[in-house]
Amino acid sequence: MNVTLAQLRLVLAVAENESFTVAAEQAVMSQPALSRAVKEVERVVGARLFDRTTRSVRLTADGREFVRVADEIVRAVDGGLGRFQAYRRGMSGTVTVAALPALAACIMPFVCRRFAASRPDVDVRIVEGDTAEVLADVLSGRADIAVTEAPRPTEGLELTLIGEDEMVAVSAPGHPVTAGKEVSWREWATYPVVGLGDSRRADEACRHNGVDPHRAYVADSAATVVGLVAAGLGVAAMPLSALPLTAHRSVVVTPLVQPRLVQPLAVVTRTVPALAPPAREFLAELGNVRFDPLHRAAPVQRPQTSLERP
């Protein structure tokens, strides 16, 4: 027979109070029942734990060592159970979020700050990648949540829309494309262009209008593109989501139209298995933000009824 956790607690109570009577009262049990429980522990471990007299209860040498071990065991169990309960309440654990770099830069700092205010013991890990990579991270279980462009309906994935990304013209202050509230792709294409490495959307819009812009410069990073544009070397077209990664206050942003290219943004999770409690709480925090890259303002809380689902 093994010694139970309840029996360990009884031995510790007797040792702390140096009294079977007081320990029995604390345990809400009769003194004879407590005495039997302690004697059973002594039988199992093969050692007398207490010296008993009519006036006192003292630990034996074996008893002192047993109490030290019993205290370690009880503290470890209580600590482990406490950590598990904190995890169940979403108060501890780890959340992994996979996000597009631009969305990670303009959304995650604010969400993490709000989340940490109420759950400081939850660790948040942010991994970055393109849309295919962050969705693969969620599907494989390497990440709990993805913040990315909304994918097509996919079995096993659940989406919550958080805003829209839009292709915009980026130019130096005073450039002709800033003359109006918006600029067409056809007009944009008449100026020297600073191309972003991934230009599929811009290329598609130009083909739609039957124009072929002159790409005077091409760069892989949004920050470099904006720097070239700010130097007056051309105009660019890029997603709004890329602007937080750049010194975009040195340039002017103008909506591109005919056509207007818009991409929904979403928080993505797996439908099965269910999210762990810490990830579930982080997802709730993400559901309260909207995408606002131009103003670089903290995402603001919005009512749950405004959340859209495809």
Side-chain angles (χ1 to χ4, degrees):
M1 177 180 176
N2 295 322
V3 177
T4 67
L5 188 63
Q7 289 173 324
L8 293 180
R9 294 187 192 277
L10 293 176
V11 171
L12 291 174
V14 175
E16 179 181 357
N17 293 287
E18 296 183 341
S19 167
F20 277 82
T21 300
V22 175
E25 290 175 353
Q26 291 179 347
V28 192
M29 63 189 304
S30 68
Q31 183 175 332
L34 174 60
S35 296
R36 288 194 297 271
V38 172
K39 286 181 180 179
E40 178 61 19
V41 174
E42 291 176 324
R43 185 190 69 79
V44 171
V45 301
R48 192 176 77 257
L49 304 180
F50 296 97
D51 284 327
R52 307 165 177 83
T53 68
T54 56
R55 295 190 174 186
S56 66
V57 176
R58 294 287 187 270
L59 285 167
T60 64
D62 288 341
R64 285 192 293 273
E65 180 61 18
F66 182 84
V67 163
R68 185 186 67 78
V69 173
D71 185 64
E72 290 179 357
I73 294 171
V74 171
R75 286 179 183 272
V77 171
D78 288 347
L81 291 175
R83 289 190 297 274
F84 180 71
Q85 290 302 318
Y87 160 82
R88 289 288 299 157
R89 296 193 305 272
M91 301 301 291
S92 69
T94 301
V95 180
T96 300
V97 182
L100 299 181
L103 299 184
C106 67
I107 291 178
M108 295 305 294
F110 304 108
V111 175
C112 289
R113 182 173 62 187
R114 289 166 60 99
F115 187 73
S118 59
R119 290 173 171 78
D121 294 328
V122 176
D123 297 326
V124 179
R125 179 172 178 259
I126 302 170
V127 296
E128 299 179 9
D130 60 28
T131 298
E133 289 170 338
V134 300
L135 291 177
D137 284 339
V138 168
L139 283 170
S140 68
R142 290 190 296 269
D144 302 299
I145 300 166
V147 184
T148 183
E149 296 176 348
R152 295 176 180 177
T154 303
E155 184 177 356
L157 293 180
E158 182 174 354
L159 315 183
T160 300
L161 299 184
I162 60 171
E164 292 181 336
D165 204 359
E166 179 180 358
M167 291 294 288
V168 294
V170 182
S171 59
H175 192 282
V177 301
T178 68
K181 293 183 178 180
E182 56 189 29
V183 61
S184 69
W185 284 95
R186 183 177 293 276
E187 180 184 349
W188 173 86
T190 63
Y191 303 103
V193 168
V194 179
L196 190 60
D198 183 0
S199 61
R200 286 171 294 180
R201 291 182 186 173
D203 292 344
E204 178 184 348
C206 289
R207 284 195 298 269
H208 177 81
N209 282 277
V211 295
D212 185 16
H214 169 58
R215 286 181 170 77
Y217 301 89
V218 177
D220 289 333
S221 78
T224 301
V225 168
V226 168
L228 294 169
V229 169
L233 297 173
V235 296
M238 65 174 57
L240 274 176
S241 63
L243 291 175
L245 301 179
T246 73
H248 74 267
R249 296 189 188 281
S250 61
V251 295
V252 178
V253 172
T254 307
L256 277 162
V257 295
Q258 299 177 13
R260 179 172 176 255
L261 300 184
V262 174
Q263 173 64 52
L265 302 174
V267 174
V268 184
T269 58
R270 285 190 296 175
T271 54
V272 177
L275 286 175
R280 191 164 60 240
E281 296 299 327
F282 195 89
L283 178 64
E285 196 66 64
L286 274 169
N288 291 327
V289 302
R290 66 176 174 85
F291 181 60
D292 185 19
L294 282 181
H295 296 94
R296 299 294 292 273
V300 298
Q301 196 163 17
R302 61 181 184 174
Q304 291 290 335
T305 53
S306 69
L307 294 181
E308 302 173 50
R309 293 179 182 272

